[in-house]
Amino acid sequence: MATLRIRDLGQIKQADLQFGDLTVLVGPQATGKSVVLQLVKLLVDTGYVQEELQRYGMDWERLLPPFLDLYFGEGMRSIWREQSTVTWLGKSIDMKAIARRKRRTEDEKLFFVPAQRVLTLRDGWPRPFTDYAPGDPFAVREFSEKLRLLVEREFTAESLFPQERRLKKAFRELLKRDVFANFHLRIDKVRSQKRLVLGTADAKDSLPYMVWSAGQREFVPLLLGFYWLMPPTKVARRGAIEWVVIEELEMGLHPRAIAVVMLMVFELLHRGIVCASLPTLHRFLSTCGRWDVLRSTRQNRMRCSKYSMRQETKVFTK
């Protein structure tokens, strides 16, 4: 079980976390939950993060303050003070050493879905990494770039949803009903510029990004994130991914749509991926105790696989 211990980091005075198959962070706004999750990404993928920053021309001169600004976002250098300490997997972490360029030795292991995911689409198309300001958080820029590469490289057909080879049929049916209202998500062109639109099955009518509902604008980047995590092959996961962080899972979604997304999270657990999230899962699971996760068989019948939540996290803020 992975463990993380934090002392005097930003707003966090003391935090002791043990990550199970599903870990949920709960707390008021601006108490450091996102900082914790971004820190986990950095600790798991240090070499990968630095390689990506270098690839896009970022230079922090091997110093911790500018590195924190580049990674967490402009002004975030202040979260680290002389008395700050971080212990990961039982080992004390030298953050100044982290800031020194570290050679990448492993593939990316943690996929991060940021709370600001609605910003990743501009005029209905994913923004590239370089479209953001240098002071924007790395997690947002990286997620946006992954979505751009996904739609440009893996979708030769116009239709993105529904797709028979993407997601199980049970999920597709629920999403059509509770998120897309039977509309299709597809790629359109306006004067040679690609964009994502919602339209009827016959493609006669289409709705551009800015007239989608708030829930649809929030959900589409999340859907593309699930597409990235679950490729249309017999492989259970993409690459070496072992962790997934989903911030503010419920943002902008109707409760019925949230329930569908939660079932998709449990599908990730079934595929052996460790998940960490923010408040919504806690509210639902504290009510239900245990969820039955629906899995469609080839005969289109449903069977259940049960997971229980292990919550052993204590966070104390100043």
Side-chain angles (χ1 to χ4, degrees):
M1 180 180 292
T3 59
L4 174 65
R5 183 179 182 182
I6 298 172
R7 297 292 182 269
D8 292 304
L9 179 68
Q11 293 294 102
I12 302 170
K13 180 179 180 181
Q14 176 181 340
D16 296 277
L17 299 95
Q18 296 180 356
F19 293 91
D21 296 331
L22 174 62
T23 304
V24 183
L25 301 188
V26 182
Q29 295 292 325
T31 53
K33 301 186 299 299
S34 291
V35 168
V36 168
L37 295 177
Q38 291 179 71
L39 178 63
V40 172
K41 166 69 177 176
L42 177 60
L43 296 173
V44 171
D45 287 326
T46 304
Y48 170 82
V49 168
Q50 293 187 347
E51 184 179 274
E52 288 296 287
L53 288 171
Q54 288 178 274
R55 186 157 70 94
Y56 291 105
M58 305 298 158
D59 182 13
W60 55 96
E61 299 179 332
R62 300 169 61 89
L63 299 174
L64 182 59
F67 180 74
L68 294 178
D69 279 348
L70 271 178
Y71 180 73
F72 289 100
E74 185 175 356
M76 292 298 286
R77 64 177 62 198
S78 62
I79 66 173
W80 188 262
R81 298 177 288 273
E82 284 190 17
Q83 67 272 26
S84 301
T85 62
V86 171
T87 304
W88 173 245
L89 303 178
K91 297 180 180 180
S92 179
I93 301 299
D94 182 349
M95 291 298 292
K96 291 183 178 180
I98 287 277
R100 301 188 189 106
R101 290 190 178 93
K102 180 178 179 181
R103 189 174 182 179
R104 177 178 172 182
T105 58
E106 296 179 321
D107 291 335
E108 181 187 24
K109 291 185 177 180
L110 189 152
F111 183 72
F112 199 105
V113 181
Q116 309 96 315
R117 52 187 169 268
V118 70
L119 300 177
T120 61
L121 297 182
R122 172 175 290 177
D123 298 326
W125 196 253
R127 299 166 60 187
F129 191 100
T130 52
D131 193 50
Y132 294 83
D136 292 336
F138 173 83
V140 179
R141 306 172 75 185
E142 183 214 20
F143 178 70
S144 187
E145 176 69 8
K146 278 187 167 60
L147 300 194
R148 184 187 70 83
L149 295 175
L150 176 80
V151 296
E152 291 184 357
R153 295 178 179 179
E154 299 189 19
F155 289 94
T156 55
E158 291 185 351
S159 177
L160 272 72
F161 181 88
Q163 280 222 355
E164 290 186 3
R165 299 177 65 237
R166 298 277 184 170
L167 305 181
K168 294 180 177 179
K169 183 178 180 180
F171 295 146
R172 296 198 304 268
E173 293 298 322
L174 291 171
L175 291 174
K176 280 198 293 185
R177 184 193 70 186
D178 296 328
V179 176
F180 291 110
N182 290 317
F183 280 98
H184 288 224
L185 178 66
R186 56 187 179 82
I187 298 175
D188 188 24
K189 286 185 180 180
V190 176
R191 293 186 292 277
S192 300
Q193 175 62 54
K194 291 181 180 179
R195 63 176 184 170
L196 301 181
V197 297
L198 293 176
T200 55
D202 58 14
K204 289 183 178 180
D205 299 306
S206 62
L207 301 176
Y209 175 72
M210 289 305 295
V211 300
W212 296 359
S213 71
Q216 290 165 342
R217 290 196 298 270
E218 290 283 353
F219 179 75
V220 166
L222 186 56
L223 172 69
L224 296 178
F226 278 108
Y227 277 2
W228 191 92
L229 286 165
M230 297 184 283
T233 65
K234 294 182 179 180
V235 178
R237 67 184 82 172
R238 186 180 294 266
I241 294 296
E242 298 176 358
W243 295 67
V244 176
V245 168
I246 305 177
E247 289 193 298
E248 304 293 351
L249 179 150
E250 82 285 3
M251 190 174 293
L253 300 181
H254 185 276
R256 289 172 64 178
I258 296 172
V260 181
V261 175
M262 290 178 62
L263 290 175
M264 294 167 68
V265 169
F266 282 113
E267 173 66 18
L268 294 177
L269 291 176
H270 172 67
R271 294 177 182 229
I273 299 176
V274 176
C275 297
S277 186
L278 290 180
T280 298
L281 284 171
H282 176 266
R283 290 200 292 268
F284 272 76
L285 290 171
S286 63
T287 302
C288 301
R290 178 178 285 183
W291 271 75
D292 292 332
V293 185
L294 303 178
R295 297 197 292 152
S296 179
T297 66
R298 291 183 180 179
Q299 294 76 26
N300 200 30
R301 290 177 300 191
M302 309 304 290
R303 56 181 176 170
C304 296
S305 177
K306 293 184 177 179
Y307 293 92
S308 58
M309 182 184 73
R310 290 186 293 183
Q311 172 59 283
E312 302 179 20
T313 299
K314 296 180 181 178
V315 178
F316 304 91
T317 59
K318 293 183 177 179

